[in-house]
Amino acid sequence: MAKLNMVQAINLALHEKMKHDDDVVVLGEDVGVDEGVFRVTAGLLNEYGEKRVIDTPLAESGIIGTSIGMALGGMKPVCEMQFSGFSYLIMHQLEGHASRMRQRSLGAWNVPLVVRMPYGGGIRAMEHHSESREAFYAHIPGIKTVIPSSPRNARALLISAIEDPDPVIFMEPKRSYRAFREEVPDEMERMEIGKAQIVRKGSDITVISWGAMMRPVIKAVEESEKELNAKIELIDMLTVSPLDDAAIVESVRKTGRVVVVQEAPKNVSISSEIVARINDKALLYLEAPVKRVTNYDVVTPYFSREMDFMPSPGRIKRAIKETIEF
Amino acid sequence: MAKLNMVQAINLALHEKMKHDDDVVVLGEDVGVDEGVFRVTAGLLNEYGEKRVIDTPLAESGIIGTSIGMALGGMKPVCEMQFSGFSYLIMHQLEGHASRMRQRSLGAWNVPLVVRMPYGGGIRAMEHHSESREAFYAHIPGIKTVIPSSPRNARALLISAIEDPDPVIFMEPKRSYRAFREEVPDEMERMEIGKAQIVRKGSDITVISWGAMMRPVIKAVEESEKELNAKIELIDMLTVSPLDDAAIVESVRKTGRVVVVQEAPKNVSISSEIVARINDKALLYLEAPVKRVTNYDVVTPYFSREMDFMPSPGRIKRAIKETIEF
Amino acid sequence: MPKKITNRFSVSYLQILDENGKVDKKLEPKIPEEDLISMYRWMVLAREFDERMLKLQRQGRIGTFGPSIGQEAAHCVPACLMNEKDWMVGAFREVGARLIRGETMEQSLYFYNGYEEGSEKPKGSNILPVSIIVGAQTLHAVGVGYSLKYRNVKDAAVVTFFGDGATSEGDFHEAMNFAGVWQAPVVFICQNNQWAISLPRHKQTRSVTIAQKGIAYDVPGIQVDGNDPLAMYVAAKEALERARNGGGPTLIEAVTFRMMMHTTADDPTKYRTDKEVEGWKPKDPLIRMKKYLEYKDIWNDAMEEEMRSEVRKEIDKAVKNFEAKTGFDSSILFDHTYGDRHYTLNEEKAEFLAEQAKETANG
Amino acid sequence: MPKKITNRFSVSYLQILDENGKVDKKLEPKIPEEDLISMYRWMVLAREFDERMLKLQRQGRIGTFGPSIGQEAAHCVPACLMNEKDWMVGAFREVGARLIRGETMEQSLYFYNGYEEGSEKPKGSNILPVSIIVGAQTLHAVGVGYSLKYRNVKDAAVVTFFGDGATSEGDFHEAMNFAGVWQAPVVFICQNNQWAISLPRHKQTRSVTIAQKGIAYDVPGIQVDGNDPLAMYVAAKEALERARNGGGPTLIEAVTFRMMMHTTADDPTKYRTDKEVEGWKPKDPLIRMKKYLEYKDIWNDAMEEEMRSEVRKEIDKAVKNFEAKTGFDSSILFDHTYGDRHYTLNEEKAEFLAEQAKETANG
Ligand SMILES: Cc1ncc(C[n+]2csc(CCOP(=O)(O)OP(=O)(O)O)c2C)c(N)n1
Ligand SMILES: Cc1ncc(C[n+]2csc(CCOP(=O)(O)OP(=O)(O)O)c2C)c(N)n1
Ligand SMILES: [Mg+2]
Ligand SMILES: [Mg+2]
């Protein structure tokens, strides 16, 4: 067991899979010599050479399009979008090919690739470096969208993503990259894609979140438990599509009260779908409206204003209190 | 007053705006000599010439990117994506520039453009010609997404869209292009963007839909009224973002029961947001879970299978019955 | 303004068999007789199959379809030169090449009738499904090419087809650039048929040739008479050999013409003249190939007749098989959205089946 | 294989003032003395401002910032040649050009400190905000160019800047192609600074020059010593005149070098050697310009000192103004999401203000 931060943990997963599977290659902008702008791909080029760790030309559609070809050719590309804010350049290849190849060919072809991308705000970065647009990917059938929240689950989920038979969008909360360390087991660990994790058991209210928001959420939950003398159930979605609504529904049936916290703007987002699933499957158990704590439906602000818009522990606590007291 | 089909009505709006405003230009693939693959741009080239009706090279990002430049240069481009299935190629320009220019410059710059695109299935077309992905656009702050359902509202909304100060995605239900005719007033008519229309008043249940689904929905509503002896309120959203939740909430407060019908897959869609807004603003009025009748979360099928997946009048009727009887 | 010229480039044009059937002896390739006849037969099959599909479409027995009539040399000849290890990454206007590489006519018919069964992988052959998003597939070709190199598959290349219109898309640019940098074993074949739906070639791009676009990436480019089977043979062979021998990518501009509508949904009289189309009729690749076979003295009318009737019988049989197949199940789509199944899709499938049952009961 | 060469192309290289300060008399442009001095002053200002921003960044007084040190001739000289009717559509590595075109240093500082106030439009000047999505802005430039032609704005051109890396993006390709087809009055200036973050130029693309990429679109391309202010002057002037006179677009490859890190978040020692950077020091455009002024006998050490101290004072003042401004309001963003307001945004703004109040009350 070593205490790793998320960058190290993701790096570990890449090393582990590359070591044991020659078909795994890493490609993207600055992933080789530079070891990634966040150093997530550190040591890979050195260890596995230029053929397996490819510094590509600056072209996102090129990266995903050739990755699709590699996957069809029997390889397992793990490609990187340098920031999720540049991943909109690959939407046509994702919607049009990666997500469809299996179904359009009734299983004759498949595209097992992983697209890693740091996402989210809070690191005082320039425009386009702080979005949280998982909703785009979640709306595409045939694609899985995974968002880890800690070093340990990031490593385990990435291992599973690389082994997954389908295209997986792997969104890395860059704000959490170096924010904290966690024990990560020595042996290779996997976590099932499409499964949420109950991080904390409780009976008074369910708080649901994922990715970078888990940190402020945990703080808010811990403080709220004390301040409100409440037992809070906390769910970390980990995969936002396909959505583990069973975990949500089971919890809601118990607590009857829900707060969903997300970094993305509210309109047509994962939080919308979570509310809709609760409506579909557990409406009668609700004792209060599901409360959504999200970004606002404005353009992602430049960095000096961004924290004003980001759900804060204070705002989350107020939402918890309001929902418990409803 | 003339009885027009939707193609003619949209064409009329284009003629009207081009006639009165030199800044309005039309560009896209095959919009000129060919008059659009659906003839929506009929007569424009003849009337307004090559400089205002531009057959562009085959490049969607090129079309939207240059349209953004034209808009910044003081023009009002109305550009066309030949099919919405190819509009994913423009996501980075929409998310990254069209939607942001105003806010990033605190109003110093703006991008008044319209992107017209035929969307949706039901016309036995090839792959990528039958998607309904309005959710993508609705999730982008700074962009408005309009979906007319009839000749008259298509014409009036397009006039408003062209006059709008912001980028408007104008999704045309191609299945309804020539499906029926409607009286369209002679004088130029406008409809407010961001406003839903109560198509039919009722008190027992609210049915919400938009675009191509309005036709099967109307059929289902009419038959259900008779069969169930119910008064059904029918809302045509017309704009899916920003969403007119006031119209929804007012209706739900009255009826307590809701069916949402959409052509798109269910996951993270407009229907999710509608359920979430009802949760946010009218949960306590609900007497039954909101019922979503949508496509399934599979890849859009090839055309011989598509109608099996599309919400049918029968399925909508069953949803209405179930929700009334809940 | 005087400046120092530092780099010079050129583009060549290749024609061997002109439209009068005259052969350039210096350039004439040595092709075994049976290969010549086989190439011709495939071109004829492609033509006859296209014509049949047009009929089927008019009768409402299949859906929208984009014929490749007039372009047979441009795609069938390179396909004939491919071997089992090669990959074909096509667009949508080279059914003939698909058949040559192992797809069945039945499959094409399923495809054009809107069934996923038409995009299954033909056994023992590496043909990716039809790719409709213009230009997108060229990137897949480069990725496959990388995988061939990476996995050390010897003597293998990727052939990707696309149109003149496709060269305007960003994906084409990125594919050419990646192929150049990676020296990927990819043969880029542009079927420059002069039109992208209604847009004529000269409005697609200002460059006088498509071939010169290779210069931007240091990818060798050549302009070929795409209706000349011999020129296509020589150019494709050289490009395939270059790719297979580690020499990297090639761009072939096959100058040809779309003799028919863009698709059956299109009305070309809106944007081009009969005269233009008529002008291309004498350049027909089938006529030219037949002339060459006659010139080589290995063909006659009787052989032609026999072959045509054989080909038609094959097509008849395929159409029969196609129409005999019924009972396409829609619910199987739920089984192929993902490689593993998530319970939410299981729930949706159950709902789907229940709804279908009710629909049938009520209908 | 013998084929007929049908098209020939070439690329030229332009250098007038070499790194030793030697002038090619035949090519030397006639530039008024005050213009020369003004150009030099702008380049010095750009350099000094970059250096100050680097300091501010290290002190945490602004955010991430990408210096353009070493590239001043490549972007300042063309900017000096632009007039009020011209548009500048930049990327993110030409602050000097922005200042020349009318942006204030204060604005740049707001921008790099993460305030939208830095992207407002400078009065009377057409500079689009910084564009970070690599390559995307080149398309805007073509659209603006179209609008100039369309609205019959005489004697106006668009200058768009981008890097060597940007030439790999599909958007660059589509922009060049549209510009070619439309003959749009756009000057494409590629600041080829040899690196795209850690990717060296030769891995970005296999073509030996960027200039030759123009051949793909029939857009005249020229490779220029981008550290030579005279060559940049001549090339930019010719291109601007071509654009303004209806002659269409030009691609200028300005060969230069990024002397510093990609941005302050980058560590270039990971991927390139000091030796490479040292090798470019003697080619510095400021040194070269100064040598030229001295050779022209219109410059001396006293003037240099005075100018430097003036420039620094201007920068001091701007930094002071920048730091004096406080009270940036966040809620105004709700007012600029759309040109008109929708009630849902009004509701959100109210919620935002309420939450902010509570946050302050509790904090
Ligand atoms: C990205 C994209 N945009 C638009 C279309 C619609 N479309 C289908 S084929 C076509 C023209 C293609 O022209 P070309 O590449 O020359 O191929 P050809 O049809 O002539 O074989 C267009 C515009 C598409 N399929 N994909
Ligand atoms: C579409 C896109 N992809 C990736 C990035 C991240 N990024 C910012 S600058 C840069 C390198 C740009 O290189 P070049 O075009 O040569 O310009 P330079 O930085 O050298 O001035 C990259 C990869 C981006 N901003 N936009
Ligand atoms: Mg074509
Ligand atoms: Mg560079």
Side-chain angles (χ1 to χ4, degrees), chain C residues 1 13 170 174 213 216 238, chain D residues 1 4 13 170 174 213 216 238:
Chain C
M1 172 180 44
Y13 178 77
E174 300 186 10
K213 293 182 184 290
E238 178 178 316
Chain D
M1 175 182 38
K4 198 169 58 190
Y13 178 77
E174 300 186 12
K213 293 184 187 290
E238 178 178 319

Side-chain angles (χ1 to χ4, degrees), chain A residues 22-25 27 50-52 54 56-57 59-63 65-66 68-70 72-75 92-93 96-97 99 101-109 140-144 164-166 194 241-247 277 281, chain C residues 87 115-122 125-133 135-151 170-171 174-175 177-178 181-182 332-340 342-344 347-348:
Chain A
D22 271 358
D23 286 331
V24 179
V25 296
L27 65 159
E50 277 195 347
K51 284 202 177 147
R52 297 187 61 196
I54 310 164
T56 66
E60 287 71 16
S61 185
I63 292 167
T66 56
I68 290 170
M70 290 178 186
L72 292 167
M75 295 167 69
H92 63 295
Q93 289 281 0
H97 286 292
S99 70
M101 201 55 94
R102 177 187 292 280
Q103 187 185 302
R104 71 152 67 107
S105 68
L106 299 178
W109 292 104
I140 307 178
I143 280 183
K144 298 166 179 168
D164 198 89
D166 295 308
S241 180
L243 195 74
D244 187 359
D245 59 21
R277 296 284 178 100
K281 298 183 169 179
Chain C
W87 286 60
Y115 286 110
E116 283 76 4
E117 280 74 2
S119 291
E120 284 179 299
K121 186 178 162 174
S125 190
N126 295 312
I127 311 181
L128 293 188
V130 165
S131 181
I132 289 178
I133 305 174
Q137 78 282 5
T138 58
L139 279 166
H140 309 161
V142 178
V144 171
Y146 191 95
S147 77
L148 292 174
K149 251 178 110 159
Y150 181 79
R151 311 186 109 199
D171 277 2
E174 300 186 10
N177 193 45
F178 274 63
V181 172
W182 289 350
I332 55 166
L333 296 195
F334 291 93
D335 309 337
H336 294 298
T337 309
Y338 296 103
D340 45 15
H342 192 264
Y343 67 87
T344 55
E347 288 172 10
E348 286 200 13

Side-chain angles (χ1 to χ4, degrees), chain B residues 55-69:
Chain B
D55 274 323
T56 66
L58 209 180
E60 286 71 16
S61 185
I63 293 168
I64 187 74
T66 56
S67 292
I68 291 170

Side-chain angles (χ1 to χ4, degrees), chain B residues 22-25 27 50-52 54-57 59-63 65-70 72-75 92-93 96-97 99 101-109 140-144 164-166 193-195 241-247 277 281, chain D residues 87 115-122 125-133 135-152 170-171 174-175 177-179 181-182 332-345 347-348:
Chain B
D22 271 359
D23 286 332
V24 178
V25 296
L27 65 159
E50 276 196 347
K51 284 201 176 146
R52 298 185 62 196
I54 311 164
D55 274 323
T56 66
E60 286 71 16
S61 185
I63 293 168
T66 56
S67 292
I68 291 170
M70 290 177 186
L72 292 166
M75 296 166 69
H92 64 295
Q93 290 281 2
H97 288 291
S99 71
M101 200 56 92
R102 177 186 294 277
Q103 188 183 303
R104 71 152 68 107
S105 69
L106 299 177
W109 292 103
I140 307 178
I143 280 184
K144 297 165 180 168
D164 199 90
D166 295 307
I193 289 177
K195 266 232 156 325
S241 180
L243 195 73
D244 186 0
D245 59 22
R277 296 284 179 98
K281 299 183 168 180
Chain D
W87 285 61
Y115 287 109
E116 283 76 5
E117 281 73 3
S119 292
E120 284 178 298
K121 185 178 161 176
S125 189
N126 295 311
I127 311 179
L128 293 189
V130 165
S131 181
I132 289 178
I133 305 175
Q137 78 282 7
T138 58
L139 278 166
H140 309 162
V142 178
V144 171
Y146 191 93
S147 76
L148 292 175
K149 254 180 108 159
Y150 180 78
R151 312 187 106 202
N152 240 322
D171 277 2
E174 300 186 12
N177 193 45
F178 275 62
V181 171
W182 289 349
I332 54 165
L333 295 196
F334 291 93
D335 310 335
H336 294 297
T337 308
Y338 297 103
D340 46 13
R341 287 275 287 291
H342 192 263
Y343 67 87
T344 55
L345 264 188
E347 288 172 10
E348 286 200 13

